[in-house]
Every structure is written in C-alpha cells, then in structure tokens.
Amino acid sequence: MSDIADLQEAVETARAAYARASEQHARSRKHALSLIHIVEGQLRDKRIELSQNDIQRERMARECGQLRQMLHALVMAVEVGAAGTPGTGPTAIEVRPNGVTPLAPVAVGEPKEPAAARDPKPRREPAQAEAAKAGAGAEELRAGLKRMLKKKRVQADGTEAPAPVE
C-alpha cells in the first residue's frame, strides 16, 4: 500500500503544482494584457500628436509662403518707392575730384518749375515730403499686411486669431 499512497501523494502534489502554475499563468496573462493596453493607449496618443503636428506644419508652411509673398510685395514696393525718390539711383552718387564718395545722400534741390505752376502754399522740403509720404505708405502697407495675415489665420484655423504683436 505504500506504493499506492506514494502515487496518491505524488498526484496531490502535481495537482497543487498545476493549480499554482494556473494561478501564476492567469496573473501573468492579466499583467501582459494591462501592459498591452497601456502601450496601445500611448501609441494612440502619439499618433494623434503626430497628426496634429502634421496639420500645424502644413499651416505653418502655408503661412510661410504667404509671408514670403507679402515680404516680396513689400520689397518690391520699397524698391519702386526708392527708385522714384530722387537721389537714390546709381547716378546720384556724388564723386569728388579726389575719388572720395560721401556717405550722405546727395542733396537735391526743388525742381525748377515755372512760377505759375507752383502752389501758392508753402511746401515742405523735398526730403521731408518724401519721408512723410514713404512713412504714410509704409504704415498703410503694414496695416494691410496685418489685416491680410489675420484674415488668413482666421481662414486656416476657423477661429478668431489674436492680433500680431508689434
């Protein structure tokens, strides 16, 4: 009978080991599933973040293109304005006999017009008039650029954009 008792004891020991292994397997499976859910959540969050970054990158690329166009328009306006201003062209550089060129712009007097064509009101000096005209034009251009940028931001975001900081 000792053989049968030994076999029964071995079977009970095996059943207990099997039960412990089953419990450990269930805990390991539960732990693995929780880790999988955590990793899937993090992956989902990263994908959302990447899609938002792509949208923001595309919006910034559009704004960069628009800003380049506005800057080009501004440069062209400044160049056209500078070309129309007396004393800024390449022929207006004064060369002195000793080969030295002055750093200040060449002084240009008032154009010689017949007395009948002149205004009876006192006029500003040409440099002051040009500076005031260029300043007013630059302010108008700047305000227009700000309005256009704000309008583009509103169209891109679908919400009211904050005013640009000056």
Side-chain angles (χ1 to χ4, degrees):
M1 212 168 18
S2 77
D3 289 337
I4 294 176
D6 288 341
L7 284 175
Q8 285 178 347
E9 191 177 315
V11 168
E12 287 303 318
T13 305
R15 281 186 185 161
Y18 179 74
R20 283 193 309 270
S22 294
E23 285 179 24
Q24 186 177 4
H25 176 70
R27 283 193 309 265
S28 296
R29 185 170 188 255
K30 194 176 190 180
H31 183 67
L33 286 175
S34 69
L35 289 176
I36 289 172
H37 290 303
I38 290 170
V39 169
E40 285 176 345
Q42 289 175 347
L43 178 64
R44 193 173 30 255
D45 293 343
K46 290 295 181 182
R47 284 183 178 163
I48 290 170
E49 186 180 336
L50 284 174
S51 67
Q52 289 172 347
N53 287 346
D54 286 342
I55 291 168
Q56 185 178 9
R57 182 186 51 80
E58 290 172 5
R59 181 183 57 81
M60 291 176 83
R62 277 194 314 270
E63 284 183 2
C64 180
Q66 293 168 355
L67 289 172
R68 280 182 186 216
Q69 289 175 349
M70 288 188 275
L71 182 60
H72 180 70
L74 180 63
V75 167
M76 294 305 291
V78 168
E79 286 179 358
V80 168
T85 304
T88 59
T91 58
I93 298 175
E94 178 186 348
V95 179
R96 294 188 180 160
N98 61 0
V100 176
T101 58
L103 297 177
V106 177
V108 178
E110 285 191 27
K112 300 191 181 199
E113 300 175 13
R118 291 189 184 166
D119 292 335
K121 297 183 220 171
R123 296 180 62 183
R124 295 182 188 173
E125 290 194 26
Q128 291 175 341
E130 287 296 324
K133 187 176 170 184
E139 287 300 317
E140 290 174 12
L141 181 61
R142 186 176 193 188
L145 291 173
K146 284 182 182 179
R147 282 193 305 272
M148 186 175 8
L149 183 59
K150 184 177 180 181
K151 186 176 180 181
K152 293 293 182 179
R153 283 185 181 155
V154 168
Q155 289 174 353
D157 296 340
T159 60
E160 183 67 25
V165 178
E166 290 186 23

